[in-house]
Amino acid sequence: MTVIDTPGYAPATTTGWTQACRLDYLTPGRGVAVLLRGGRQAALFLLPGGVLYAVGNIDPFGRAAVMSRGIVGDRGGVPVVASPLLKQAFSLVDGRCLDDDSAALPVYAVRVDDGLVSISNKPVGDTASDG
């Protein structure tokens, strides 16, 4: 499932956040791709415990927009998504690749307001202006 816009909702409510979908549209353990303002892509995940995570959707090894199709799991207590291409595991908490220290995914803040999930347009720690 790729979520670009949800009918009846504005795709970007403010300059800093993109509305993705209603929380009840998400299936625990499955990801969705979200096109953010400015053209970036995020992979949004609802874990079975109800926690939401968003990381970059572009696999740094295969350079394809596939992370939302990855397998969600746990490695040593760390929630991860495994790339569907070469199976590298990435932390959903900080984006680091647990199999190769040279790669990481950007991490995006997620919020829920009145049942609507929004993702920050910029990765956590990105202080560059919108230009």
Side-chain angles (χ1 to χ4, degrees), residues 18 34-42 58 108 121:
T18 295
V34 180
L35 181 61
L36 303 175
R37 182 172 173 261
R40 293 180 182 174
Q41 294 184 37
I58 308 297
Y108 294 90
N121 289 319

Side-chain angles (χ1 to χ4, degrees), residues 48-115:
V51 179
L52 290 163
Y53 292 99
V55 294
N57 194 40
I58 308 297
D59 180 318
F61 296 98
R63 307 243 190 271
V66 297
M67 295 308 297
S68 63
R69 306 264 191 240
I71 299 169
V72 176
D74 175 297
R75 187 181 283 179
V78 176
V80 298
V81 60
S83 169
L85 297 178
L86 299 173
K87 310 300 184 252
Q88 290 91 352
F90 294 86
S91 167
L92 290 171
V93 175
D94 62 15
R96 66 188 165 91
C97 180
L98 302 180
D99 300 312
D100 185 336
D101 292 336
S102 71
L105 296 172
V107 175
Y108 294 90
V110 180
R111 69 181 185 193
V112 179
D113 295 308
D114 294 325

Side-chain angles (χ1 to χ4, degrees), residues 25 45 48 75 118 125-126:
Y25 284 5
F45 298 96
R75 187 181 283 179
S118 297
D126 184 351

